[in-house]
Amino acid sequence: MTTVDLPRVSDTDAPLGGPSLAQVRRLVTAIPGPKSQALSARKTAAVSAGVGVALPAYIVAAGGGVLIDADGNSLIDLGSGIAVTGVGNSAPRVVAAVAAQLAQFTHTCFTVSPYDSYIEVAEALNRLTPGDHLKRTALFNSGAEAVENAVKFARAFTGKQAVVAFDHAYHGRTTLTMALTAKNIPYKDGFGPFAPEVYRAPMSYPYRDGGLSGVEAAKRAILQMEKQVGGGNMAAIILEPIQGEGGFIVPAPGFLPTLVDWCRANNVVFIADEVQTGFARTGDMFASNHEGIVPDLIVLAKGIAGGLPLSAVTGRADIMDAPQPGGIGGTYGGNPLACAAALATIESYESDNLVGRAREIGAIMTECLGALQLADARVGDVRGRGAMMAIELVDPSTGEPDAQLTGRVAAAAHARGVVVLTCGTYGNVIRFLPPLSIPDHLLLEGLQVVTDALGAL
Ligand SMILES: *Cc1c(COP(=O)(O)O)cnc(C)c1O
């Protein structure tokens, strides 16, 4: 057997990840430092330019609330790899569970030679998701793949085709999910034609709705669906209970329940895309719970498995059992390593009361960001729930979105060692998605860095 010496970033002096890492912000070089810059050059030469990088500091270890880069900088993580590592990076329970599974078997394909952890994940999701009706679950690899399959279930069950998505929606980057996603640049531009039978309805966006109530916004959407599509043609509506990439838009109270009621009356499947909001993030296990809605199908991914790729569709047994056997599946869906990680992750959410922790984080962020809004008129709105909060930056004289300022604040925070992400249809939202494992002092320091960065511009 020939062994090949592969070049590595650093395998001897890299710190071990997980919560044992020192929980400090520490900059020893400019961000990105020389080693990261060298890696960026290799990235440009080897990786598709279509794969963008928000902050090109290359990571060698992570845990708690920090990311350690190749130059030895310790950055504060306010992004969780886009709301994925809710339980923290390399969380001990997840590491132990995955290591144990790794030593047993890595793959059989559940649809060829099944194993029990897939069933156990399905049982846990059936128990945890909103509603006490009979449910079933199917597992996939990515959020987009799960969204695609949710649409398949809805079409198989209703015998109808049309799907309605909303303004500002983000559902993924595959062909069908690009069609569902609202924003053209960067997600859709040049990639058409898009999947047919996808229609768009207006969202409830309290900050920009001119005082429309949730019920009024829902009636506006319903009127448009009835006039332009027709409930008799609609398989599903799909909606994020709090929109993620679209700008952390929390619809006005009443919007979601009114749409659910309309769906029930019209044999239209209500699909909640909780890929970003799911799993304790918003201060409840799922964002649907805040308004007491019970989706017919719920799509889950990101926070589900502590960073391993896994996604799920969970929902009404009659809908989930509609497709023919073999119609749903895939080679890797519900991979045993990902299932082991999910079971450990779910155990952490439940036994470590991470819902409570998300609320604490939310209280801290609400206070800090609220103070920032009072002090700085460019902060037009502070919104979100739990550990999913954002600020919308505007020109105070006109209320117009200020994407340029937003980009500069994010860049300044990055340069000071804080990983924050931007989002929003207008590119003028800074979002905060800290891992629920972040200590308070790092969270406060991270928010202070962003405050200072805005103040300096
Ligand atoms: C990220 C995201 C997706 C897509 O998930 P991928 O795993 O990136 O395919 C879908 N819906 C929402 C709400 C998301 O935030």
Side-chain angles (χ1 to χ4, degrees), residues 82-84 141-147 169-174 177 181 238-245 273-277 299 301-302 310-311 388 431:
I82 319 185
V84 169
N141 302 290
S142 68
E145 191 188 0
V147 168
Y170 182 85
H171 298 292
R173 289 180 164 100
T174 58
T177 58
T181 291
I238 181 163
L239 182 53
E240 302 152 84
I242 299 173
Q243 290 184 318
E245 307 302 303
D273 180 347
E274 292 231 24
V275 168
Q276 192 154 156
T277 49
V299 184
K302 293 196 166 98
L310 186 73
S311 64
M388 179 173 185
R431 55 175 155 171

Side-chain angles (χ1 to χ4, degrees), residues 57-320:
Y58 282 74
I59 302 306
V60 296
V66 296
L67 302 161
I68 312 297
D69 77 8
D71 293 285
N73 299 296
S74 180
L75 314 174
I76 298 177
D77 181 11
L78 298 183
S80 301
I82 319 185
V84 169
T85 52
V87 294
N89 253 293
S90 298
R93 255 198 210 103
V94 175
V95 171
V98 174
Q101 178 58 45
L102 196 52
Q104 293 300 317
F105 63 94
T106 50
H107 175 80
T108 57
C109 186
F110 185 77
T111 62
V112 177
S113 304
Y115 39 89
D116 64 355
S117 56
Y118 187 116
I119 302 169
E120 220 180 310
V121 172
E123 289 167 346
L125 298 180
N126 295 347
R127 172 174 62 80
L128 284 171
T129 48
D132 51 13
H133 52 288
L134 200 59
K135 292 178 211 160
R136 309 265 193 264
T137 287
L139 300 180
F140 307 97
N141 302 290
S142 68
E145 191 188 0
V147 168
E148 295 240 356
N149 278 279
V151 170
K152 286 167 69 175
F153 287 115
R155 285 180 174 158
F157 175 73
T158 60
K160 300 187 280 183
Q161 294 186 352
V163 180
V164 171
F166 285 76
D167 285 335
H168 315 290
Y170 182 85
H171 298 292
R173 289 180 164 100
T174 58
T175 298
L176 174 55
T177 58
M178 270 193 298
L180 296 168
T181 291
K183 192 174 178 177
N184 180 42
I185 292 181
Y187 305 124
K188 303 169 75 161
D189 199 50
F191 299 138
F194 302 106
E197 287 308 312
V198 172
Y199 302 88
R200 196 160 306 285
M203 179 64 187
S204 163
Y205 189 164
Y207 180 61
R208 296 190 174 277
D209 255 358
L212 215 56
S213 75
V215 173
E216 287 163 347
K219 286 190 171 152
R220 177 178 67 176
I222 288 165
L223 186 69
Q224 184 165 319
M225 292 190 292
E226 286 180 339
K227 295 300 168 208
Q228 298 185 8
V229 193
N233 298 311
M234 284 174 58
I237 73 173
I238 181 163
L239 182 53
E240 302 152 84
I242 299 173
Q243 290 184 318
E245 307 302 303
F248 282 29
I249 300 165
V250 187
F255 182 71
L256 298 172
T258 305
L259 288 174
V260 170
D261 289 347
W262 183 85
C263 284
R264 294 278 140 78
N266 288 274
N267 186 32
V268 173
V269 175
F270 184 94
I271 304 171
D273 180 347
E274 292 231 24
V275 168
Q276 192 154 156
T277 49
F279 294 101
R281 172 60 55 189
T282 64
D284 210 318
M285 195 56 93
F286 299 101
S288 294
N289 297 343
H290 295 291
E291 281 218 64
I293 60 163
V294 178
D296 297 313
L297 300 180
I298 181 163
V299 184
L300 301 166
K302 293 196 166 98
I304 195 174
L308 273 81
L310 186 73
S311 64
V313 181
T314 296
R316 272 168 51 190
D318 53 349
I319 301 173
M320 295 294 293

